[in-house]
Amino acid sequence: AQRVTQPEKLLSVFKGAPVELKCNYSYSGSPELFWYVQYSRQRLQLLLRHISRESIKGFTADLNKGETSFHLKKPFAQEEDSAMYYCALSGRGGDDKIIFGKGTRLHILP
Amino acid sequence: NAGVTQTPKFRILKIGQSMTLQCAQDMNHNYMYWYRQDPGMGLKLIYYSVGAGITDKGEVPNGYNVSRSTTEDFPLRLELAAPSQTSVYFCASSYSGARGSSGNTIYFGEGSWLTVV
């Protein structure tokens, strides 16, 4: 069964410190992985996708198929990074339904 | 360039009342979803649809109903509202099979804040 696990509900990090938001997944094939972000009182929006291999707002995420992980990283946290972050998975082929993890609230301390 | 549109944005209901949250998308997406987000919590999938005429239960379907008579619209109906349904509701859509630069990206509406008193 498809599953996305974000083990941390809340992560507090000092400004300027590195950030790592964990995401592990369970899927029998080769999924597509995403990170979505929700700033205060706004709608969710796409942050990045693994197939794009891009860096957005200083964030990167590498798909590790061996560990079935897609952790989100940023070397130096900024106060504007405070938000709710969701890891998401989409299957390929017949079942493309997107499922989300429970989310991790990132709080950047001044 | 509307994307996913939800109405109403805010609503207060009395216990036992019914209402429908409207959702429309103009991107010709086949997948549509309804999520709820309780204060300080993550998303929970209520119902989803893979195309017109097809709906499936998500994680928390009790107390809700949906229909998908057209590709564009996916209304969510609350029957006999209860205080436990106080939440923010998000509608979303995505296009299955779209690969390349946009891929299978999901687009969200702005949310509907519902309070049941």
Side-chain angles (χ1 to χ4, degrees):
Chain A
Q2 298 175 1
R3 189 167 59 246
V4 176
T5 303
Q6 293 179 250
E8 301 138 331
K9 205 168 178 178
L10 172 66
L11 183 65
S12 296
V13 173
F14 283 102
K15 179 181 170 183
V19 175
E20 184 179 46
L21 299 168
K22 291 185 167 48
C23 173
N24 288 90
Y25 67 90
S26 173
Y27 186 73
S28 57
S30 293
E32 210 170 331
L33 275 296
F34 309 81
W35 276 99
Y36 283 81
V37 61
Q38 185 183 28
Y39 299 104
S40 181
R41 300 185 72 81
Q42 294 186 25
R43 72 178 86 190
L44 278 84
Q45 54 188 287
L46 178 68
L47 181 61
L48 53 80
R49 305 162 57 224
H50 91 268
I51 63 172
S52 302
R53 303 185 69 81
E54 58 201 342
S55 173
I56 304 293
K57 299 184 179 182
F59 284 98
T60 58
D62 290 318
L63 180 60
N64 185 323
K65 291 184 179 179
E67 295 182 357
T68 60
S69 69
F70 188 56
H71 303 328
L72 183 68
K73 299 178 183 179
K74 184 170 182 176
F76 307 104
Q78 298 171 284
E79 287 191 60
E80 54 265 33
D81 295 330
S82 292
M84 191 77 163
Y85 291 81
Y86 291 92
C87 183
L89 173 154
S90 170
R92 295 177 185 267
D95 182 7
D96 288 359
K97 175 168 58 72
I98 296 173
I99 62 170
F100 286 85
K102 298 290 185 189
T104 298
R105 182 167 298 282
L106 177 63
H107 183 209
I108 306 301
L109 303 165
Chain B
N1 199 23
V4 179
T5 305
Q6 288 180 238
T7 56
K9 197 156 185 177
F10 301 95
R11 181 74 186 266
I12 298 174
L13 275 183
K14 292 184 179 177
I15 294 171
Q17 284 186 318
S18 301
M19 75 160 295
T20 299
L21 296 175
Q22 302 292 343
C23 176
Q25 53 91 9
D26 61 359
M27 296 173 282
N28 202 30
H29 285 171
N30 49 349
Y31 277 69
M32 293 189 76
Y33 313 77
W34 273 106
Y35 295 90
R36 60 177 286 175
Q37 185 179 37
D38 299 332
M41 306 294 284
L43 294 172
K44 292 182 180 177
L45 181 63
I46 305 171
Y47 271 97
Y48 70 101
S49 167
V50 302
I54 306 169
T55 62
D56 279 294
K57 293 179 181 179
E59 190 183 349
V60 289
N62 292 343
Y64 306 94
N65 275 302
V66 292
S67 60
R68 185 94 183 271
S69 55
T70 67
T71 300
E72 294 79 18
D73 300 299
F74 190 43
L76 176 73
R77 178 140 181 98
L78 280 73
E79 305 282 2
L80 299 174
S84 61
Q85 292 178 303
T86 294
S87 190
V88 183
Y89 291 83
F90 287 99
C91 180
S93 71
S94 66
Y95 183 59
S96 165
R99 301 297 175 211
S101 59
S102 62
N104 196 11
T105 303
I106 188 169
Y107 295 86
F108 284 83
E110 290 186 308
S112 297
W113 273 254
L114 176 66
T115 302
V116 182
V117 296

